[in-house]
Amino acid sequence: MSGRVVSVMLGSSSKFKQGLAAQAMPDPVHTVSFNLHPKFVSPDIDEKAVRRADPQEMVLAIAQAKMDKLLELLDPKNGDSLGNPDLVIAADEIILFGGVLFCLFVFYTYKFVAG
């Protein structure tokens, strides 16, 4: 198939998430195919500094903070050497059980990179 190839960058250094992302790449649609970007970038933010009373709001706020950091890292003005992905995925996840926040699970937010 010839056509557009969409480069998808995962903002995570987790081998587990990288494996999930590789498996989740959709099959080619019409003339568009998706490839996982060869570089994985950890957004390296202080997740403990991002807190909300509502767990759903908190996971979204952390994912947004990760996306903001990734876009900063990808900005050519900041010495970008990460390439130019078409789509960046930032993620955060939590487990809430019996009203107690335990650890990480899975939630994704997507944002296209301008340019």
Side-chain angles (χ1 to χ4, degrees):
M1 167 194 279
S2 63
R4 173 110 167 92
V5 177
V6 176
S7 173
V8 180
M9 177 181 274
L10 176 64
S12 177
S13 58
S14 163
K15 296 291 183 196
F16 178 74
K17 287 181 186 173
Q18 291 171 15
L20 284 177
Q23 291 176 14
M25 289 296 105
D27 291 332
V29 178
H30 302 289
T31 59
V32 178
S33 62
F34 296 83
N35 288 333
L36 204 53
H37 193 277
K39 293 184 181 178
F40 298 95
V41 182
S42 177
D44 195 29
I45 64 162
D46 181 6
E47 293 183 28
K48 292 182 176 120
V50 182
R51 290 293 170 243
R52 304 289 186 277
D54 180 281
Q56 186 173 0
E57 289 178 17
M58 184 173 75
V59 77
L60 288 170
I62 294 171
Q64 184 62 57
K66 288 180 178 183
M67 180 60 72
D68 292 344
K69 182 65 174 186
L70 288 168
L71 293 176
E72 178 185 317
L73 293 170
L74 287 166
D75 189 333
K77 292 180 275 186
N78 297 327
D80 167 42
S81 62
L82 300 174
N84 190 20
D86 300 302
L87 179 68
V88 177
I89 300 174
D92 197 65
E93 50 286 318
I94 60 173
I95 293 176
L96 184 66
F97 182 75
V100 178
L101 185 64
F102 279 95
C103 60
L104 303 178
F105 199 66
V106 177
F107 183 86
Y108 291 106
T109 185
Y110 302 85
K111 189 169 188 176
F112 282 97
V113 177

